[in-house]
Amino acid sequence: MTEVVFLLVPQLHLLDLAGPAQVFSTAADHGHGYRLHFVAEQEDVPTAQGLPVRARLDWPTLGPDDLVVVPGWRSPRLRANGHLGAATLARLAEHHARGGTVASVCAGADALGRAGLLAGRRCTTHHDLQDELAARYPAARVVRDVLYTVDDRVVTSAGIASGIDLALHLVAMRHGPAAAARTARAMVVYARRNGDEQQASAMLRHRAHLSDAVHRVQDEIDARFTERLPLPALAASAGVSPRTLTRLFTAATQLTPLRYQQELRRERAEHLIGHGSTVEAAARAVGFEDARMLRRLRAT
């Protein structure tokens, strides 16, 4: 069971909280072990949208596999806003020092900065606050115009809906991309991933449709993209003919099932190459017999 603690600050944005919370709650509904907690320095926490929320004052016991998320708050500037006490900031730093993950949405990055967790690390925040974040924490490496960053178990996101992207990324890292895609599908969101990967990965950018048959086939390809997947077998998994599957899949994604699988393989291979693998080794790792097809896909 993974404990997910949301640390609430007065004037927090509801979607900064509700978006990631919904992701982990939905993942838990699908059988993944997440338990959510909401803590603050006061029991009644006012929100930027006017709806107060109730939090607990005591923290659960946390281990290295657990996560602390700081949602953002309404703030035209970071200075003089979103204050947290020294004990709370020390708890954030201690959790990370013990191997845990800390994450922020929007202005929540300032809390991580105050806890000393941004120094020497890549981070981001809402575009309106990026200059101030860089000025307040000159040792941080503020990355502009991305949805989120991941650096040594410190995860920061841009703001509002990007908290959903951040949470889906964390689900994908722990349970695999198919689990993240299934969670996104249940939430009916057009999910994008970012960080060291492309901002819109093939696995998620082609989910912006409502064809249940195509989603089922995508789930199958996502989970087994390194394998040979004959079209008749994929069609059978969706309960349609191969011709019908090709028509439905192309209409929904603008790709054939084979091309979709190749895109997944190419993106995974690019990741491996970016981390030091040779083209030949990356091609074999993602399911190609040799590097020729990978080279052709990378050239297009």
Side-chain angles (χ1 to χ4, degrees), residues 237-253:
S237 71
V240 297
S241 70
R243 177 175 295 182
T244 298
L245 173 60
T246 299
R247 176 176 56 80
L248 293 175
F249 204 100
T250 303
T253 70

Side-chain angles (χ1 to χ4, degrees), residues 11-153:
Q11 295 303 311
L12 68 93
H13 283 296
L14 283 173
L15 188 54
D16 281 14
L17 167 63
Q22 183 68 56
V23 169
F24 294 117
S25 176
T26 302
D29 290 341
H30 292 161
H32 304 296
Y34 291 102
R35 183 161 47 209
L36 277 56
H37 308 268
F38 305 91
V39 305
E41 295 182 340
Q42 59 193 70
E43 287 188 338
D44 294 309
V45 183
T47 70
Q49 287 69 44
L51 176 69
V53 295
R54 175 62 65 93
R56 54 190 285 186
L57 301 179
D58 60 312
W59 288 57
T61 301
L62 299 179
D65 291 333
D66 298 326
L67 169 68
V68 178
V69 182
V70 186
W73 52 86
R74 174 175 286 163
S75 176
R77 55 199 301 270
L78 297 174
R79 187 178 298 277
N81 288 283
H83 281 309
L84 290 168
T88 301
L89 296 174
R91 191 185 288 268
L92 276 174
E94 180 183 15
H95 176 62
H96 182 266
R98 291 184 174 180
T101 299
V102 295
S104 66
V105 184
C106 194
D110 189 56
L112 305 192
R114 293 175 186 175
L117 294 171
L118 299 184
R121 295 190 173 100
R122 300 170 70 251
C123 60
T124 195
T125 188
H126 190 281
H127 55 79
D128 288 341
L129 301 174
Q130 289 171 354
D131 289 341
E132 187 181 357
L133 188 72
R136 282 173 63 78
Y137 307 105
R141 291 181 286 159
V142 177
V143 183
R144 301 172 186 277
D145 302 320
V146 296
L147 288 177
Y148 61 83
T149 64
V150 182
D151 193 331
D152 186 28
R153 293 175 288 105

Side-chain angles (χ1 to χ4, degrees), residues 214-232:
V214 174
H215 278 303
R216 289 201 299 273
V217 172
Q218 286 179 285
D219 289 344
E220 183 77 6
I221 298 174
D222 291 350
R224 302 171 56 199
F225 69 90
T226 63
E227 303 176 26
R228 183 175 178 273
L229 300 173
L231 184 63

Side-chain angles (χ1 to χ4, degrees), residues 193-213:
R193 300 176 67 191
N194 198 5
D196 292 329
E197 307 296 333
Q198 295 184 13
Q199 181 167 344
S201 73
M203 188 170 290
L204 294 179
R205 70 172 172 263
H206 295 295
R207 291 283 185 159
H209 62 82
L210 298 177
S211 172
D212 189 63

